[in-house]
Amino acid sequence: EVALRLQYRPDAEEFVMSIPPDPRDVRWADLRSDPTKEAVKERFGYLCVIGLYIGFMPVTVAISSIASIDRLKAESPLVNHVLTAMPKLALVLEGVLASAALTLFMSFLPTFLALIFDNFFVLKADAWTQHKLQVWYFWFLIVFILLVTAVGNSLILSLEKIVQRPFEIFGLLADSMPTATHFYLNFVVLQWVTHSMNLTRYMNLMKYLALRPIL
């Protein structure tokens, strides 16, 4: 109501207005924090996000390169014996193994991002944490699902080429992405299962059953 009654002028820095969050969602401690400490914590937060990028990248490349039936058969005689005896199981795993492994690994990412945002960034409301998480998680998916999976083992060489000649990224993706089309098709189908499981709220049930004897 106060903001609606004010007289505004063209100076964009005199008044900065935004839609307020629900009063029950406001993080009052963040509103009272020291601006100098805010800046230091925010820099540490960005360093943690960069470290998360760097830490996730080799694991994602490894999953996309080793999560294959032929590789598992070569590495494990037991897996080779089971899949040879059950060819239908081998067909199913061949279709979803790499996608399922990457999906399972990436499912931990929102938890790590939320911990970083809650502890290092000044957020005026809890809903802002979800918005920040949505933005950063989107770019994580672009990098780790779309780009890293397509480039694969040649990630370092590809980055060197892109740094030297940035516009070569389009030709690089045009050459590498067609070879990963089966992975993307399997990944999209697997997301139906993931979203269906989320609708059941199984994780909330597991937390409730685990914590019920304590609470």
Side-chain angles (χ1 to χ4, degrees):
E1 291 295 331
V2 176
L4 292 175
R5 298 176 184 275
L6 292 177
Q7 297 292 325
Y8 297 100
R9 289 186 291 185
D11 188 355
E13 297 185 359
E14 184 173 356
F15 290 103
V16 179
M17 300 297 176
S18 62
I19 299 176
D22 188 280
R24 294 170 297 181
D25 197 42
V26 174
R27 301 172 61 162
W28 301 105
D30 284 6
L31 295 175
R32 297 192 299 267
S33 61
D34 180 62
T36 304
K37 292 182 179 179
E38 289 180 12
V40 174
K41 289 177 62 177
E42 189 169 298
R43 288 185 176 90
F44 275 110
Y46 283 117
L47 289 176
C48 290
V49 173
I50 294 172
L52 199 60
Y53 262 97
I54 297 173
F56 264 64
M57 191 167 292
V59 179
T60 307
V61 173
I63 290 175
S64 62
S65 60
I66 68 175
S68 63
I69 295 297
D70 294 335
R71 186 67 177 268
L72 292 177
K73 285 183 178 180
E75 296 291 337
S76 174
L78 177 61
V79 173
N80 186 23
H81 174 72
V82 172
L83 296 181
T84 303
M86 305 175 65
K88 291 185 178 180
L89 177 61
L91 291 175
V92 174
L93 290 179
E94 188 175 4
V96 301
L97 182 61
S99 301
L102 188 58
T103 300
L104 178 63
F105 184 71
M106 293 295 291
S107 65
F108 294 100
L109 183 59
T111 301
F112 295 141
L113 286 174
L115 289 173
I116 293 173
F117 297 150
D118 284 335
N119 291 283
F120 292 100
F121 287 84
V122 176
L123 303 169
K124 302 303 187 291
D126 291 329
W128 293 14
T129 305
Q130 296 296 321
H131 178 261
K132 205 172 189 66
L133 173 62
Q134 181 181 6
V135 173
W136 282 91
Y137 188 54
F138 170 79
W139 288 110
F140 260 90
L141 293 178
I142 290 293
V143 172
F144 291 108
I145 302 299
L146 184 62
L147 300 180
V148 174
T149 304
V151 174
N153 294 327
S154 59
L155 177 64
I156 303 299
L157 297 176
S158 302
L159 288 177
E160 291 179 359
K161 291 181 180 179
I162 293 172
V163 170
Q164 295 172 359
R165 294 181 290 275
F167 289 104
E168 282 196 5
I169 186 174
F170 302 107
L172 176 65
L173 292 177
D175 294 335
S176 60
M177 289 187 69
T179 62
T181 52
H182 289 290
F183 170 83
Y184 293 126
L185 290 172
N186 295 330
F187 184 81
V188 170
V189 172
L190 190 63
Q191 298 314 297
W192 302 346
V193 179
T194 304
H195 289 299
S196 299
M197 292 177 65
N198 290 336
L199 290 175
T200 64
R201 309 290 287 177
Y202 70 97
M203 190 57 67
N204 299 67
L205 177 61
M206 292 173 61
K207 289 180 180 179
Y208 170 75
L209 295 176
L211 299 175
R212 184 172 59 175
I214 305 174
L215 301 177

